[in-house]
Amino acid sequence: MDKKAKQLKIIVVALASLTALSVFFLARERRRRKQKCPQSRCYLQADHIKPQCGFKRVLAENTYSPFKHLNLLNDPQEDKTWNSHPYEAEVTALMESPRLELQCITMKNVDLKKLSESYVWVETESQLKELVEVLSKEKVFGVDTEQHSLRSFLGFTALVQISTEKEDYLVDTIALRDCMSLLRPVFADASICKVFHGADSDVLWLQRDFHIYVVNLFDTAKACEVLSKPQKSLAYLLESYCGVVTNKLLQREDWRQRPLSTEMVQYARTDAHYLLYIAHCLIAELEILDNENSCSNDKFRFVLEASRRSNLMCLQLYTKEIEASPGESAASSIFSRHLNGRRGISSVSCEIQGAVSKLCAWRDLMARVHDESLRYVISDQAIVALADKAPTTPTDILATIAQADSNVDSSLSSGLSSPSPVVCSHLDDLYHLLQNKIGNADDFFPLILQNCLGTNGSCPLSIFNYALLIKCNLKMTQVSRQNGVRNSKKVARKSSRQLFVQKFSCKAPVYHNCRIYADDGRLLCYCDRRKLEWYLRRDLAKLVDENPPAIMLLFEPKGRPEDEGNDFYIQKCTSRNI
């Protein structure tokens, strides 16, 4: 009996010891993950690669420069064409004389009871060309898009759904990002009607990501307005006309994932599949109203109004928000929503306001560098807590952020880690910022950019942040301080020259006469083969000539040699000057 008791006691002690060790190591691991974040290298260098890192050409990069629209004249000197609608004449003509091809569609083959399992997943350039050929023969097709915004500063289109009377197509715009322009002609074709629902954002997103402009649009939401429907949501129309109920929570899913889940495929197809049938029904109702209320000189008033309102959306132009200073609007929002005495802060001192402005500026820059949304980098609540508490150590900074985020509704922060990988990777910069060891934006913008993206920077280069590095001096000319000591424009020009010499020019005699051209075809410099290979390996340029080698950059460089009178860098190397 004693022997059994001793054995039982040993087992209990062993189990207790194992439990204690497990608790100890688990707690230590939690503390390590929470407080000892990696600071020597950017989190983007880990195994997780964001899909936009593979994009070779980006129209709306994260710089502070305005968005440039499609220039049909292909004239780089015509600056006014960059900010005008390339198809304004065609859209305006449609508003005056609508072409509603939906009236010719019978919709006899629509099965409202069940969505078939047949659809086409488009992920290769050849498949996209086949789709373009199909759509060019159609009179009308339905369109919808799915966006991703959490892990991107400006957001990007992750999927485009296109439906004809016979087939549903899901276009993988992540895989096809650099050849989506193949769809541009059919979307701009005034003889083909494109059916959307609530196209206000879709029209802008297609411009932003692919320079695709919609001409001849019929929006079912605008038809609902003209018909004075009690609701105008797509969920309402699907249930009313098709007897289909959808789960709109799926709209919040991560549409970057591949492959898509069965539920996501079903949801994506549903949004576009029934659009043609719904539009057909709505136009029939509009025509009934026209017939009931028509007079000899105003027969198509309701149909015309629905078409006019739809095509009016096509004239929208995507613009990037350009602030007077980085993070200014976010700071103003925080002042009005969080620092008005209702969130535990009775009065807002100048120190707190200054800290909030600096933190918002830092967050803005970090979001652009890493191509993340502002809320992914650090929440508004965490900024308020840091400004109010003014933590004095890196550990306190992490704890303050974690505590602030723990008090936020979990539904608003689902999928977000706190503190974020961005904060953990750049904790030193954030610490120095809070300790007032970094001055105003004129000082810390170039410093942080150099730490992140310079020759010894911690962050991997992407087309987003490389463009930001090159164009950073543009922002410096816009941000002027009344009490500033230095001339920011002069500093910007000097920075531009230094950056050009560092990035484009040769540090030794050139033997290969390799050429680097800007994206508009102008020669930037001659260099050696290694420099060319550097750009090609990172998909920042494309090869345009092989003998002698030449590349064309896929971004707009800042500090061209002719802008500063540096003709030396665009002189061809000969045997006499080697």
Side-chain angles (χ1 to χ4, degrees):
M1 188 70 178
D2 292 340
K3 186 176 181 181
K4 289 183 177 180
K6 288 181 179 179
Q7 290 177 343
L8 183 59
K9 186 176 181 180
I10 292 172
I11 293 173
V12 171
V13 172
L15 288 174
S17 301
L18 286 173
T19 302
L21 286 171
S22 299
V23 172
F24 171 76
F25 284 114
L26 181 60
R28 189 174 72 172
E29 176 63 17
R30 284 178 177 172
R31 286 196 301 271
R32 184 189 69 79
R33 286 186 298 180
K34 188 174 181 179
Q35 298 180 355
K36 293 187 178 181
C37 300
Q39 301 170 30
S40 60
R41 47 185 275 152
C42 179
Y43 71 102
L44 288 177
Q45 292 178 337
D47 293 336
H48 175 72
I49 300 297
K50 297 166 66 177
Q52 57 263 50
C53 292
F55 297 165
K56 294 182 179 180
R57 186 173 180 84
V58 175
L59 299 174
E61 16 84 327
N62 297 339
T63 67
Y64 299 95
S65 55
F67 180 79
K68 292 184 176 181
H69 283 274
L70 180 65
N71 182 358
L72 290 177
L73 300 177
N74 293 318
D75 184 358
Q77 303 302 320
E78 290 291 334
D79 291 337
K80 62 180 181 180
T81 61
W82 294 120
N83 297 311
S84 59
H85 199 295
Y87 299 98
E88 182 177 358
E90 291 84 346
V91 175
T92 303
L94 282 170
M95 291 176 64
E96 298 174 356
S97 302
R99 304 175 63 170
L100 292 175
E101 281 72 13
L102 284 166
Q103 295 168 317
C104 304
I105 297 178
T106 59
M107 306 303 293
K108 293 180 179 179
N109 299 325
V110 176
D111 185 1
L112 300 180
K113 296 181 180 179
K114 184 179 179 181
L115 191 65
S116 69
E117 296 182 0
S118 171
Y119 71 95
V120 179
W121 179 261
V122 181
E123 61 180 348
T124 66
E125 186 174 352
S126 60
Q127 290 175 318
L128 187 60
K129 289 179 179 178
E130 292 176 4
L131 174 59
V132 170
E133 187 175 350
V134 169
L135 295 179
S136 63
K137 299 175 183 177
E138 296 288 330
K139 290 290 185 181
V140 60
F141 57 85
V143 187
D144 189 36
T145 69
E146 302 299 338
Q147 301 292 311
H148 181 79
S149 59
L150 177 62
R151 302 298 308 277
S152 173
F153 183 71
L154 295 173
F156 61 89
T157 305
L159 190 72
V160 169
Q161 305 97 281
I162 297 177
S163 292
T164 65
E165 281 191 274
K166 298 179 180 180
E167 192 67 84
D168 296 334
Y169 299 88
L170 300 185
V171 182
D172 185 354
T173 54
I174 293 178
L176 295 170
R177 171 79 184 207
D178 300 309
C179 53
M180 282 293 291
S181 58
L182 290 170
L183 283 170
R184 192 178 298 150
V186 292
F187 274 83
D189 191 335
S191 67
I192 304 174
C193 182
K194 278 69 67 172
V195 180
F196 286 77
H197 180 87
D200 304 72
S201 297
D202 299 278
V203 165
L204 299 178
W205 290 333
L206 291 171
Q207 294 177 13
R208 174 197 66 192
D209 293 337
F210 316 118
H211 269 171
I212 289 177
Y213 297 80
V214 183
V215 178
N216 194 354
L217 167 66
F218 184 81
D219 192 309
T220 51
K222 295 301 180 184
C224 287
E225 287 182 2
V226 176
L227 290 166
S228 300
K229 294 286 184 182
Q231 298 181 43
K232 60 177 184 178
S233 68
L234 182 57
Y236 165 77
L237 294 176
L238 284 169
E239 190 169 356
S240 300
Y241 290 94
C242 310
V244 175
V245 179
T246 59
N247 180 10
K248 279 299 174 182
L249 292 177
L250 287 170
Q251 191 175 34
R252 303 179 184 177
E253 290 292 312
D254 186 353
W255 289 94
R256 301 174 304 165
Q257 63 177 282
R258 297 291 185 269
L260 296 176
S261 66
T262 303
E263 293 77 15
M264 293 173 73
V265 169
Q266 184 83 356
Y267 172 84
R269 289 183 59 200
T270 299
D271 274 5
H273 178 82
Y274 297 100
L275 275 179
L276 297 184
Y277 177 76
I278 292 172
H280 176 75
C281 295
L282 292 174
I283 285 183
E285 293 181 26
L286 290 167
E287 289 180 329
I288 290 174
L289 289 177
D290 276 334
N291 292 331
E292 291 177 350
N293 301 280
S294 65
C295 57
S296 59
N297 61 348
D298 191 19
K299 186 176 181 180
F300 297 102
R301 182 168 55 88
F302 285 90
V303 174
L304 178 63
E305 180 61 18
S307 176
R308 187 191 68 81
R309 293 188 190 184
S310 297
N311 280 297
L312 187 61
M313 290 190 294
C314 296
L315 292 177
Q316 297 180 103
L317 281 175
Y318 173 76
T319 57
K320 289 164 63 178
E321 182 180 355
I322 307 297
E323 299 177 305
S325 60
E328 182 181 56
S329 61
S332 298
S333 176
I334 289 177
F335 292 149
S336 62
R337 291 188 297 111
H338 298 292
L339 297 178
N340 55 6
R342 296 181 298 175
R343 299 294 179 107
I345 300 176
S346 57
S347 62
V348 183
S349 65
C350 293
E351 289 78 9
I352 290 179
Q353 292 187 40
V356 167
S357 296
K358 280 187 178 182
L359 288 167
C360 287
W362 176 84
R363 178 177 68 173
D364 182 88
L365 181 58
M366 288 294 97
R368 294 173 188 270
V369 166
H370 298 87
D371 195 37
E372 302 284 7
S373 64
L374 296 179
R375 64 192 177 106
Y376 182 84
V377 176
I378 186 171
S379 67
D380 287 353
Q381 292 79 8
I383 286 180
V384 171
L386 290 173
D388 183 41
K389 186 179 179 181
T392 57
T393 66
T395 301
D396 288 342
I397 291 175
L398 298 175
T400 301
I401 294 173
Q403 181 61 44
D405 289 336
S406 67
N407 297 328
V408 181
D409 184 1
S410 59
S411 64
L412 299 176
S413 57
S414 58
L416 298 177
S417 58
S418 179
S420 72
V422 182
V423 170
C424 293
S425 295
H426 300 280
L427 186 57
D428 284 344
D429 286 337
L430 184 57
Y431 169 72
H432 286 97
L433 185 68
L434 288 170
Q435 296 302 309
N436 289 320
K437 295 182 180 180
I438 302 180
N440 57 35
D442 285 353
D443 296 322
F444 77 75
F445 258 63
L447 178 61
I448 292 179
L449 272 177
Q450 189 64 29
N451 289 342
C452 294
L453 303 175
T455 53
N456 298 316
S458 61
C459 304
L461 280 173
S462 72
I463 198 168
F464 292 94
N465 56 30
Y466 189 80
L468 180 65
L469 176 65
I470 287 185
K471 296 182 181 180
C472 71
N473 62 339
L474 174 65
K475 187 60 186 179
M476 303 308 296
T477 62
Q478 295 175 349
V479 180
S480 59
R481 306 291 180 178
Q482 292 181 355
N483 58 349
V485 180
R486 65 182 65 184
N487 184 329
S488 62
K489 292 185 178 181
K490 187 175 181 179
V491 172
R493 287 195 296 269
K494 181 179 179 182
S495 171
S496 173
R497 288 193 296 270
Q498 292 175 342
L499 184 61
F500 179 83
V501 171
Q502 176 186 349
K503 288 297 178 184
F504 295 107
S505 66
C506 310
K507 313 302 185 298
V510 178
Y511 297 97
H512 307 124
N513 279 325
C514 300
R515 293 156 293 160
I516 296 181
Y517 291 96
D519 56 357
D520 61 2
R522 285 200 287 173
L523 179 64
L524 288 174
C525 66
Y526 285 87
C527 66
D528 59 23
R529 191 181 297 271
R530 287 188 304 172
K531 179 68 71 174
L532 261 63
E533 292 173 349
W534 187 90
Y535 286 107
L536 293 172
R537 282 198 306 270
R538 289 160 176 78
D539 291 325
L540 295 171
K542 62 181 180 180
L543 188 66
V544 294
D545 201 351
E546 294 185 355
N547 188 25
I551 61 172
M552 178 176 290
L553 301 180
L554 297 177
F555 55 87
E556 169 60 31
K558 190 65 179 179
R560 299 190 180 203
E562 63 269 29
D563 297 336
E564 299 292 344
N566 296 327
D567 296 333
F568 167 78
Y569 300 113
I570 53 176
Q571 291 179 1
K572 187 175 181 180
C573 183
T574 65
S575 59
R576 284 179 289 184
N577 58 14
I578 291 180

